[in-house]
Amino acid sequence: MFDSKVSELLNSQINKEFYSAYLYLDFSNYFVEQGLNGFANWYKVQAQEERDHALLFIQYMQNNNIKVTLTQLATPEVEYIDHMSPLKAGLEHEEFVTASIHTIYDAAYQVKDFRTMQFLDWFVKEQGEEETNANDLIRKMELFGTDPKGLYLLDQELAQRMYNPPSLVL
Ligand code: FEO
């Protein structure tokens, strides 16, 4: 039997991951409107990864006979003041998701749910990488984003990002 608190937290993480996909898709749409297709590509790939994260939580729960309940997604509400604002909102969101993963980990730890801890290990590492990527992007934007040529080159760089399925297989 799975601990009810751990099960509940796992279930609520599904919504957070799908919401992340929704949020990044909103960023991507903004950048399409702005004519920055490289940034749009980068966030679209990010959205695909977030959808994969949600599916991994679903798969893990189903593998362990935990009932999955899908809940309504919130509308992303980001104020697009400039090109930097989605980048900062993205970092803030990743920090929120990291805290959420750590909360589940802590709940699993409390009840000696080693299986869930092991499942979450991948996400703990992934969150570290995502925060690094979000920080790097902000740094690059600070350095080059105010110069049109710099922004053009950065957009070209971000256009290269390709979707890769998650390395975690359940
Ligand atoms: Fe799946 Fe970036 O959190």
Side-chain angles (χ1 to χ4, degrees):
M1 261 309 266
F2 254 75
D3 177 70
S4 62
K5 188 173 173 202
V6 173
S7 305
E8 224 173 88
L9 289 170
L10 286 168
N11 196 80
S12 71
Q13 191 64 28
I14 298 169
N15 187 292
K16 292 188 176 104
E17 299 293 346
F18 274 129
Y19 175 77
S20 303
Y22 224 38
L23 182 70
Y24 290 131
L25 209 47
D26 202 56
F27 292 0
S28 179
N29 294 343
Y30 163 78
F31 283 117
V32 168
E33 286 161 15
Q34 298 295 313
L36 289 166
N37 291 330
F39 281 84
N41 170 66
W42 201 89
Y43 280 113
K44 196 164 149 188
V45 170
Q46 190 63 31
Q48 288 172 297
E49 286 196 0
E50 297 299 352
R51 174 212 51 207
D52 291 341
H53 295 170
L55 295 177
L56 284 168
F57 273 90
I58 291 173
Q59 188 65 60
Y60 177 73
M61 290 174 71
Q62 288 174 337
N63 286 355
N64 289 284
N65 295 315
I66 307 170
K67 183 175 164 48
V68 173
T69 307
L70 295 180
T71 53
Q72 191 174 353
L73 290 175
T75 304
E77 278 172 11
V78 178
E79 264 196 280
Y80 295 103
I81 300 159
D82 52 21
H83 299 332
M84 183 63 102
S85 39
L87 274 57
K88 292 214 165 146
L91 174 61
E92 207 177 297
H93 182 70
E94 285 307 327
E95 288 168 348
F96 163 76
V97 173
T98 297
S100 176
I101 297 282
H102 290 182
T103 298
I104 313 172
Y105 205 106
D106 187 50
Y109 176 76
Q110 299 298 329
V111 295
K112 294 189 166 57
D113 178 354
F114 302 117
R115 193 183 296 167
T116 298
M117 285 160 66
Q118 196 186 45
F119 165 68
L120 291 173
D121 278 339
W122 186 86
F123 284 92
V124 171
K125 188 162 175 276
E126 174 76 6
Q127 281 310 120
E129 286 169 13
E130 300 216 322
E131 284 184 30
T132 301
N133 291 341
N135 269 310
D136 285 353
L137 200 49
I138 289 170
R139 187 92 181 101
K140 281 182 184 167
M141 191 63 140
E142 279 167 354
L143 287 168
F144 313 116
T146 48
D147 166 58
K149 198 173 165 201
L151 184 64
Y152 175 77
L153 291 173
L154 185 53
D155 192 58
Q156 298 272 308
E157 183 192 317
L158 299 180
Q160 305 304 314
R161 185 178 184 187
M162 283 177 28
Y163 166 71
N164 288 309
S167 55
L168 178 65
V169 178
L170 294 175

